[in-house]
Amino acid sequence: QLMAEYNSWMNERMYALCAELPDAERKRDQGAFFKSVHGTLDHLLWGDRMWLSRFNGKTYGAAPIGQLLYEDFSKMRVARAEIDREILIWARAVTLDWLAEPMTWTSKLYGFTQTQPRWVLVTQMFNHQTHHRGQVTTLLKQMGIDPGITDIPLLPLLGARQ
C-alpha cells in the first residue's frame, strides 16, 4: 500500500513538472532507453497496465512494447491518474495470503512463462516504476529542472514536512 501511495504521489509530481515543458522538449530524444521523457512516461503507463491486469484481472488498453499508447500528453496524464487510482484500489485490498500464492504469467516482452509468488511480481511492478521514474528525473535534471526530493519518508501521507 505504501508503494502504491508513493507511486501516485511521484507520478503527480512528475507529470506536473512535465506539463510545463513544450511538447517538443518532452518528446526530444535524449538517448534514454525509451528515448524521451514522454516515451519513458508512456512506457511506465504501459508497464503498470500490464502488471495490474495480471493482478486484478481487468483489461486496460495496451500497445506493442515500444509503440506509444498516447501521443497526446494531456490524454496520457489523464490515463496515468486513472491507472494510479486503480493501483491504489487494488493495493488496499491485497492480503498477505494473496501475496504468498504462486502466480503463473507470460511476459509479453520476453515471451516466456513462469510461476513466482505474487509478492515477487508485485515487487517487480513497483521496482519497475521506480527505475523508470529515476530515468525521468535524470532527464529532467539534464533539462535544468529540479524534480525535488523523491524519498519515500517525505510522502505527504506519512505527515512529513517538505
Side-chain angles (χ1 to χ4, degrees):
Q1 292 174 6
L2 174 64
M3 292 307 294
E5 294 287 351
Y6 176 75
N7 170 66
S8 181
W9 175 60
M10 285 306 302
N11 284 334
E12 286 176 24
R13 292 181 59 205
M14 292 299 104
Y15 273 78
L17 289 171
C18 292
E20 301 297 319
L21 293 169
D23 199 49
E25 188 65 7
R26 258 192 320 272
K27 292 179 178 176
R28 182 172 57 88
D29 188 339
Q30 292 179 263
F33 192 79
F34 291 97
K35 297 184 173 39
S36 64
V37 167
H38 187 95
T40 305
L41 291 173
D42 191 86
H43 172 72
L44 267 166
L45 178 58
W46 179 89
D48 285 351
R49 284 178 169 182
M50 294 296 102
W51 281 113
L52 191 58
S53 69
R54 293 176 183 128
F55 300 149
N56 70 9
K58 294 183 180 180
T59 301
Y60 303 99
I65 185 102
Q67 182 180 338
L68 290 177
L69 293 169
Y70 295 93
E71 284 285 342
D72 181 87
F73 180 77
S74 61
K75 289 179 182 176
M76 183 170 63
R77 190 175 187 182
V78 168
R80 175 77 262 171
E82 289 171 357
I83 201 72
D84 286 347
R85 278 191 298 278
E86 290 278 322
I87 291 170
L88 285 165
I89 291 166
W90 162 79
R92 290 174 182 144
V94 169
T95 65
L96 290 175
D97 288 340
W98 183 88
L99 286 169
E101 291 175 3
M103 182 176 151
T104 301
W105 66 287
T106 300
S107 169
K108 291 186 181 352
L109 179 59
Y110 303 117
F112 60 75
T113 300
Q114 65 173 283
T115 301
Q116 298 282 342
R118 283 189 177 126
W119 68 264
V120 170
L121 304 176
V122 170
T123 301
Q124 168 57 27
M125 179 180 75
F126 289 118
N127 185 64
H128 181 260
Q129 294 167 350
T130 301
H131 167 71
H132 285 298
R133 258 194 317 267
Q135 292 174 335
V136 171
T137 60
T138 297
L139 296 174
L140 291 173
K141 279 295 269 184
Q142 290 172 353
M143 292 181 203
I145 299 168
D146 183 1
I149 297 170
T150 61
D151 295 337
I152 291 172
L154 294 180
L155 179 64
L157 175 76
L158 299 175
R161 284 189 232 173
Q162 295 186 34

